[in-house]
Amino acid sequence: MIIAPSLLAADFTEFGKEAARVEKAGADWLHLDIMDGHFVPNISFGPAVVKAIRPFCKLVFDVHLMCSRPEILLEPFAKAGADRMTIHVELGDPVPSLFWKIRNLGKEVGLSVNPPTAMELVEPYLKDIDSLLIMTVNPGFGGQEFITETLTKIQQAYTWRQERGLKYKIAVDGGIQFQTAAECAHAGADTFISGTGLFGQHSLTAAIKKMRKIVEKAGVPELKLT
Ligand code: DX5
Ligand code: ZN
């Protein structure tokens, strides 16, 4: 199981310190949301900021590219310290070449699917990815409400993984609080990205510990063995 706090919910004036705090609090990955003002109606931060944060935190840097043209950003983010990069299936035809580029840079490959997008679109790529990121809100902003209808997508991703003997992680992102994390774990998710759900708590350490416990309890039995 992976707990990945999203820096989008941290104090923007203290990114270095916040990244260090995430590591100290016992998280597994640091999730970095990259928004280009085109693929999503918001802008966050770019490779120079990620590079500046890198020395403050040894955790896996999980870069989520909500961008229309990730091909121009993959190398800059790899150089800035990304360990894994997730692109969106909604980009269509460029997806396979983006995977190839990410692998060529020596990074792990993630594929994300937005709430209105059919799971059939990700199906052909399942054998090529390290993680499938199921968006549980429409991307662009932190602090939105979890979309319950996405639970069936998690179940589908889990069933496909079992049936095909694949190993991709099943990640969820958006509106992940303690309760919704439990629901996602029950449906088959194993990787939990959470911004306000964790940073909004008084103690980040206690919040991560609590989420881990809740998710462990709610998870499908097979996951407990891995
Ligand atoms: C949403 C981003 C998320 C966001 C989650 O567009 O991809 O990673 O930071 O924020 P919360 O957990 O507050 O919904
Ligand atoms: Zn994200």
Side-chain angles (χ1 to χ4, degrees):
M1 178 219 310
I2 300 285
I3 305 283
S6 167
L7 202 66
L8 200 67
D11 179 351
F12 269 47
T13 67
E14 299 274 14
F15 266 170
K17 276 190 192 159
E18 290 286 71
R21 186 160 77 97
V22 168
E23 182 179 341
K24 218 172 148 224
D28 302 291
W29 295 352
L30 181 66
H31 185 78
L32 298 148
D33 286 304
I34 313 302
M35 304 177 180
D36 67 350
H38 187 262
F39 185 80
V40 288
N42 196 6
I43 296 178
S44 57
F45 47 85
V49 174
V50 173
K51 189 178 174 200
I53 303 165
R54 188 67 270 193
F56 290 86
C57 177
K58 288 190 207 64
L59 297 179
V60 165
F61 271 23
D62 178 39
V63 171
H64 179 191
L65 293 162
M66 288 162 276
C67 303
S68 296
R69 294 187 59 213
E71 62 275 15
I72 59 169
L73 296 168
L74 297 176
E75 199 176 337
F77 277 110
K79 281 190 176 152
D83 296 295
R84 51 192 341 281
M85 290 187 270
T86 295
I87 55 145
H88 271 260
V89 76
E90 290 81 13
L91 297 173
D93 292 342
V95 166
S97 70
L98 292 167
F99 286 170
W100 185 84
K101 280 187 183 129
I102 297 170
R103 289 250 181 257
N104 242 6
L105 290 162
K107 309 300 172 190
E108 286 197 7
V109 170
L111 181 64
S112 184
V113 56
N114 284 339
T117 306
M119 285 295 276
E120 281 61 38
L121 261 74
V122 303
E123 197 182 356
Y125 302 122
L126 296 176
K127 59 183 187 319
D128 306 322
I129 59 177
D130 298 301
S131 59
L132 180 63
L133 172 54
I134 296 172
M135 287 306 301
T136 43
V137 300
N138 287 304
F141 301 91
Q144 301 182 75
E145 203 177 315
F146 179 82
I147 300 172
T148 309
E149 287 72 23
T150 58
L151 287 170
T152 54
K153 288 183 152 178
I154 301 166
Q155 285 161 354
Q156 176 70 81
Y158 185 79
T159 306
W160 278 338
R161 190 175 68 183
Q162 294 283 95
E163 282 172 0
R164 299 169 194 198
L166 296 170
K167 290 210 159 69
Y168 55 84
K169 290 186 162 58
I170 301 172
V172 286
D173 184 9
I176 301 300
Q177 315 267 350
F178 299 123
Q179 177 57 31
T180 50
E183 288 169 31
C184 291
H186 191 67
D190 50 55
T191 299
F192 303 85
I193 296 154
S194 174
T196 44
L198 293 174
F199 280 97
Q201 301 295 314
H202 179 64
S203 157
L204 189 58
T205 308
I208 291 171
K209 207 177 263 174
K210 184 172 171 185
M211 190 170 282
R212 234 184 248 293
K213 221 181 217 170
I214 287 174
V215 155
E216 240 162 40
K217 216 171 148 205
V220 286
E222 288 88 341
L223 283 175
K224 285 180 186 159
L225 301 171
T226 60

